Amino acid sequence: MNPSASFAPDAPWRIDRSRLATLAPRPAHDWDIEIVDETGSTNADLIERLRAQPRDNAPADPHAPVVRVAYSQTSGRGRRGRAWLAEPGNALLMSVGYVLRRPIEGLSGLSLAIGVAVLDALARLPLSPSARPALKWPNDVLLDDGKLAGILIETAWTGPGATAVVIGIGINLHGAEHLAAQVDDANRQAASAVPGTAPASLARAWPGANLTDTLAALLNAIDAALPRFETEGFKPFRQRWTDAHAYAGREVVLLDQGQEITRGVASGVDDSGHLLIDAPEGPRAVATGELSLRLAKERP
Ligand code: ATP
């Protein structure tokens, strides 16, 4: 793709700010929302920004979130330094920076709660009725078994009464086949990647998928989820996460850098967002850590 053509000012996929304000009035009015053509990583940008601001370790009132959206990232990232790939116009790449009034120990389950928020957002978009978005522990949203969205939560700073978090969300809108080839290539080159779930895009369930409506739906869902998590943690999200659990009752393996560490039947998650597995040696609750989850049948 010709890079200058991909950023044409009149490209049809560009976000329409006035439509965004109509569809997501509160966030569009109250939050600082930046939209840029290209950056390294929207998460990295917001981490830097939150670190540069004065720290408020015990905020009396909630701070308004800050949002950064990029049409393209030159170093989009997943967990453990893995790459997150996207082409301009084909993906929504956004990060939300927020000073969450919880210490770092209180963030358990946040990436799962945001997964539930992404499902809420998808429920407000005109997907075909047969589409079944689902959640894969700990941080992926699947559509028909393909990876539709990734969630990456990082912290900018932590204090006794607050943690500045950056919530990165990447959602594929179009071009899943091309993306699959790119992901395969990237995984072949990266020793840390554990190949598994192929990419899916929203267009499969919504041929007219567009950035503006998708961003608006996400902003509204995050606007509802953040205060809820802030006061109650993961608990109120647990049932909805379980209802959308992609691998419920299936045999799974947990891998640490490609090495199998346990295998068993995935039964759900607990109130802290730990994955519950019925393993041959007994039930186990697994914390997020840096593990990868795969269906057992995908492994030799
Ligand atoms: P795992 O399932 O191993 O735990 P993960 O869910 O932690 O992986 P992330 O680190 O969040 O994965 O995302 C990076 C990985 O996702 C890459 O290694 C690549 O395999 C895959 N990937 C990269 N870009 C995309 C994309 N746009 N859509 C779907 N998958 C992608």
Side-chain angles (χ1 to χ4, degrees), residues 78-80 82-86 136 138-140 147-148 150-151 172 179 183 187 193-194 197-200 291-294:
R79 297 191 303 157
R80 288 164 57 101
R82 291 172 202 146
W84 187 262
L85 305 171
K136 171 178 169 270
N139 64 336
D140 292 334
K147 186 155 157 176
L148 175 71
I151 295 164
N172 306 318
L179 195 54
V183 166
N187 283 345
V194 185
T197 326
L291 305 172
S292 296
L293 181 70
R294 295 288 180 268

Side-chain angles (χ1 to χ4, degrees), residues 10-235:
D10 57 351
W13 41 257
R14 280 180 180 276
I15 291 164
D16 175 344
R17 284 259 189 189
S18 59
R19 183 170 166 82
L20 188 69
T22 309
L23 296 176
R26 210 176 91 94
H29 185 261
D30 294 351
W31 303 4
D32 173 3
I33 302 174
E34 297 171 344
I35 302 173
V36 298
D37 278 357
E38 186 170 82
T39 190
S41 144
T42 56
N43 261 32
D45 294 343
L46 287 190
I47 287 174
E48 197 179 314
R49 184 162 155 187
L50 287 169
R51 284 190 181 148
Q53 287 169 356
R55 293 187 185 193
D56 187 356
N57 271 319
D61 297 311
H63 288 227
V66 292
V67 177
R68 191 160 161 92
V69 178
Y71 294 123
S72 175
Q73 296 185 129
T74 51
S75 331
R77 54 202 208 195
R79 297 191 303 157
R80 288 164 57 101
R82 291 172 202 146
W84 187 262
L85 305 171
E87 297 219 333
N90 277 353
L92 178 63
L93 306 167
M94 69 179 294
S95 297
V96 179
Y98 186 59
V99 178
L100 193 71
R101 290 176 294 162
R102 284 184 159 249
I104 192 146
E105 312 80 68
L107 297 194
S108 184
L110 178 59
S111 68
L112 285 79
I114 295 298
V116 171
V118 173
L119 288 196
D120 282 345
L122 296 175
R124 286 156 191 248
L125 294 169
L127 306 195
S128 73
S130 59
R132 289 274 169 277
L135 296 170
K136 171 178 169 270
W137 186 89
N139 64 336
D140 292 334
V141 181
L142 306 185
L143 183 65
D144 300 340
D145 292 336
K147 186 155 157 176
L148 175 71
I151 295 164
L152 179 67
I153 300 192
E154 299 180 277
T155 52
W157 53 259
T158 70
T163 306
V165 295
V166 175
I167 300 165
I169 302 175
I171 298 198
N172 306 318
L173 268 63
H174 298 276
E177 277 171 26
H178 179 56
L179 195 54
Q182 288 180 310
V183 166
D184 273 355
D185 271 357
N187 283 345
R188 261 195 294 276
Q189 288 165 28
S192 67
V194 185
T197 326
S201 62
L202 257 188
R204 172 194 281 249
W206 174 27
N210 71 76
L211 290 175
T212 306
D213 293 37
T214 308
L215 175 60
L218 277 168
L219 293 176
N220 287 329
I222 290 169
D223 188 25
L226 283 179
R228 191 139 203 230
F229 187 90
E230 194 156 48
T231 50
E232 298 177 72
F234 177 62
K235 202 171 176 187

